Amino acid sequence: MAEHANASGEEHAHHVKLEYQPALPLNNGKLIMWLFLSTEIMFFAGLIGTYIVLRFGAPAWPKPHDVHLSEPIGAANTFILICSSVTVVLALEAALANKDKLAKGFTLVTLVLGSLFLGIKGYEYNAKFNHGIYPWAPHGQVYDRADPYYTSAVRTRLTALRADLEARASGEITEEERERLTLCTNLLENTVKPVELTAATSTSLVERQAAMEKLADMVMPLGGGHGDESHGLNDEHHWLQLPVRIPGGQLWASTYFLLTGFHAIHVLVGLIVFAMMLPMKLDSSRANFIENIGLYWHFVDLVWIFLFPLLYLF
Amino acid sequence: MSEPHASGSDGHDSHGGMAKYAYVFIALCVLTTASFFTYSSAWPYQDQPAVGWAFMMAVSCTKAMLVILFFMHVKYEANWKYVLTIPAGMMSIFLMLALVPDIGLRTRHYSEERWSAASVPQSMAEHHAEEDHEAASAETAEDH
């Protein structure tokens, strides 16, 4: 503390004393957390900004239903995170009031809500994987356009399925498997083969394109409207898992999994800290710590507030 | 160095108490329902998606402000909050704007060859097909 020095001190005895402040008026933990959060702002702004720029600059972008996104599920997750943000501030208030058990209770509720969020996210990811939408190439079944590469991928998949079923047919085969074999053969001979023939031999670009589009529509028609459930081959026969044509789908998958994946990692880190807090005594001496993890958790909530409309409703 | 404890901002005062948190929570729920409203068939601007996007972004920014101001207690912090948040916020905008010329406007300079491998929206594909079909019909008519 440095006091205002003056040679004629007596004259200025009643002057206002200036207070020397050695740092910002907040504790070191909170300062570090805010510095970290300011880097996080730029990290997520980079990701979200890239998504926006890619999305609005893309020639085509899938509608939420084409990529099997469910708006009510997204809204439910938003509600869950908002509730968890409230329980964190309530845990802080309880700790400040030295109500250890209450603070622990709110922390536990936050932990459960965060886990529920991750569970729902996992369910959503699983729905994407079941429809052949992956963020990486070897498993991904999404094609941007109905072109010869697409028709050839459909043929390859059907041929592999047929070969597998034929191998089993030499031994014991169930009635269901026999039906599957018939369907694969029918599709290969009566649907894919004529399409590939038209695509290879027709002199009209319209005919070539129309034939390939027709095949893509048979596998998975693009609906896009509210509540429209597409009923293509992939929906009628889940085991087929044929490649699908979704214009802009590959870029959509990359950005969706990157954004939600990084967000989920942040949620997971928060949950680990909440789990570590449970055995602690959460009284006012821990208030700074609870406030700091609370700041982090609110930031995670904040990111989702923007991700929800951008990914599910745009 | 011991931690500085200036009076005021670090004192964990009760920032409005339970009532304020309850109001903010209700406001956040109402706003989430509002952005979800654009998804319902009652939304009047179905044919103008940009209206819905602007509305949703306005709602999201309002929700973000509520969380930042009340849950993160930024409303009650000293002026250091501007030092840490404004430059990061500006950098976020610059990061996005820097991508616009090369990424956002990338299709402006696509060659015909590049377009032939690009994903094409359904409407454009149909439009091209119609054009091609008309050209083919005209050719056939000329032949006859």
Side-chain angles (χ1 to χ4, degrees):
Chain A
M1 175 88 59
E3 289 186 27
H4 185 69
N6 198 313
S8 53
E10 285 175 29
E11 285 177 38
H12 303 280
H14 301 293
H15 274 193
V16 177
K17 281 184 178 177
L18 294 178
E19 205 173 289
Y20 173 68
Q21 206 164 274
L24 287 172
L26 70 165
N27 64 64
N28 287 348
K30 194 164 157 184
L31 174 65
I32 295 301
M33 180 51 79
W34 268 105
L35 281 171
F36 171 66
L37 289 184
S38 61
T39 65
E40 287 277 81
I41 291 172
M42 289 184 277
F43 176 78
F44 275 105
L47 286 176
I48 295 173
T50 310
Y51 166 78
I52 293 172
V53 173
L54 280 172
R55 187 227 184 289
F56 286 102
W61 200 257
K63 291 191 170 113
H65 285 259
D66 291 337
V67 281
H68 310 281
L69 271 181
S70 165
E71 289 89 345
I73 290 181
N77 254 354
T78 309
F79 179 70
I80 288 167
L81 271 195
I82 289 172
C83 288
S84 73
S85 264
V86 175
T87 52
V88 168
V89 284
L90 293 178
L92 174 63
E93 292 292 327
L96 283 170
N98 277 322
K99 292 174 181 168
D100 169 48
K101 281 189 177 166
L102 193 60
K104 272 186 185 172
F106 281 126
T107 307
L108 183 65
V109 175
T110 313
L111 183 66
V112 171
L113 288 170
S115 306
L116 191 61
F117 176 89
L118 278 189
I120 293 175
K121 201 82 233 144
Y123 170 78
E124 282 192 300
Y125 271 25
N126 193 41
K128 309 283 167 295
F129 297 156
N130 285 339
H131 287 93
I133 302 172
Y134 282 84
W136 54 83
H139 301 288
Q141 300 280 358
V142 176
Y143 284 74
D144 266 336
R145 32 189 312 145
D147 54 11
Y149 295 106
Y150 172 74
T151 52
S152 131
V154 174
R155 175 169 41 81
T156 308
R157 169 73 183 154
L158 282 170
T159 311
L161 280 172
R162 186 172 65 174
D164 186 43
L165 289 164
E166 275 174 348
R168 283 192 216 176
S170 55
E172 279 185 25
I173 187 166
T174 62
E175 194 55 38
E176 193 190 355
E177 281 174 332
R178 198 176 298 284
E179 278 172 18
R180 287 182 178 189
L181 181 59
T182 314
L183 181 68
C184 284
T185 312
N186 269 341
L187 285 172
L188 272 170
E189 297 302 323
N190 304 327
T191 308
V192 179
K193 204 172 175 182
V195 164
E196 285 200 306
L197 205 62
T198 310
T201 57
S202 173
T203 50
S204 161
L205 177 66
V206 184
E207 264 184 31
R208 292 204 300 268
Q209 195 57 40
M212 293 186 288
E213 293 284 349
K214 197 178 158 193
L215 176 66
D217 280 337
M218 274 181 77
V219 174
M220 195 196 84
L222 295 171
H226 293 169
D228 284 354
E229 277 298 317
S230 59
H231 287 293
L233 286 168
N234 270 0
D235 288 304
E236 287 164 16
H237 311 282
H238 287 283
W239 54 273
L240 269 176
Q241 297 190 333
L242 294 174
V244 288
R245 173 273 330 255
I246 306 174
Q250 289 182 347
L251 194 54
W252 177 87
S254 304
T255 49
Y256 171 81
F257 285 109
L258 192 74
L259 282 167
T260 56
F262 269 118
H263 181 260
I265 291 171
H266 279 74
V267 173
L268 190 64
V269 170
L271 292 184
I272 292 169
V273 179
F274 287 131
M276 284 164 61
M277 277 165 68
L278 287 176
M280 293 179 186
K281 189 171 169 63
L282 300 178
D283 56 8
S284 59
S285 65
R286 298 267 187 203
N288 282 343
F289 172 65
I290 300 171
E291 190 184 13
N292 292 340
I293 179 61
L295 285 172
Y296 173 83
W297 192 252
H298 297 315
F299 179 79
V300 171
D301 181 21
L302 211 63
V303 171
W304 187 256
I305 283 174
F306 285 101
L307 286 187
F308 167 59
L310 283 171
L311 293 173
Y312 290 78
L313 302 173
F314 262 44
Chain B
M1 191 182 83
S2 65
E3 291 204 354
H5 282 281
S7 58
S9 66
D10 199 31
H12 288 305
D13 311 319
S14 187
H15 302 303
M18 300 299 165
K20 186 158 280 180
Y21 291 141
Y23 289 140
V24 173
F25 174 68
I26 292 165
L28 287 171
C29 290
V30 170
L31 287 166
T32 304
T33 315
S35 60
F36 192 64
F37 174 55
T38 56
Y39 160 74
S40 78
S41 52
W43 176 251
Y45 303 100
Q46 301 280 358
D47 52 337
Q48 290 165 284
V51 178
W53 296 338
F55 176 77
M56 279 184 276
M57 276 297 102
V59 167
S60 289
C61 289
T62 314
K63 280 164 75 178
M65 286 317 289
L66 284 174
V67 171
I68 293 169
L69 289 176
F70 296 102
F71 287 172
M72 295 173 92
H73 302 140
V74 166
K75 187 174 190 286
Y76 311 99
E77 300 291 1
N79 287 345
W80 59 262
K81 63 191 174 192
Y82 300 116
V83 181
L84 285 179
T85 54
I86 290 179
M90 285 169 73
M91 185 59 85
S92 314
I93 295 166
F94 295 151
L95 272 171
M96 197 171 86
L97 292 179
L99 292 166
V100 171
D102 283 346
I103 309 294
L105 305 176
R106 63 192 180 282
T107 54
R108 286 195 176 187
H109 306 291
Y110 268 17
S111 60
E112 275 297 313
E113 203 178 359
R114 179 67 187 84
W115 270 116
S116 69
S119 61
V120 182
Q122 195 71 0
S123 56
M124 198 188 279
E126 280 163 10
H127 178 68
H128 282 174
E130 272 169 26
E131 271 183 1
D132 195 67
H133 187 64
E134 278 165 20
S137 317
E139 236 173 60
T140 323
E142 272 174 25
D143 287 348
H144 285 289

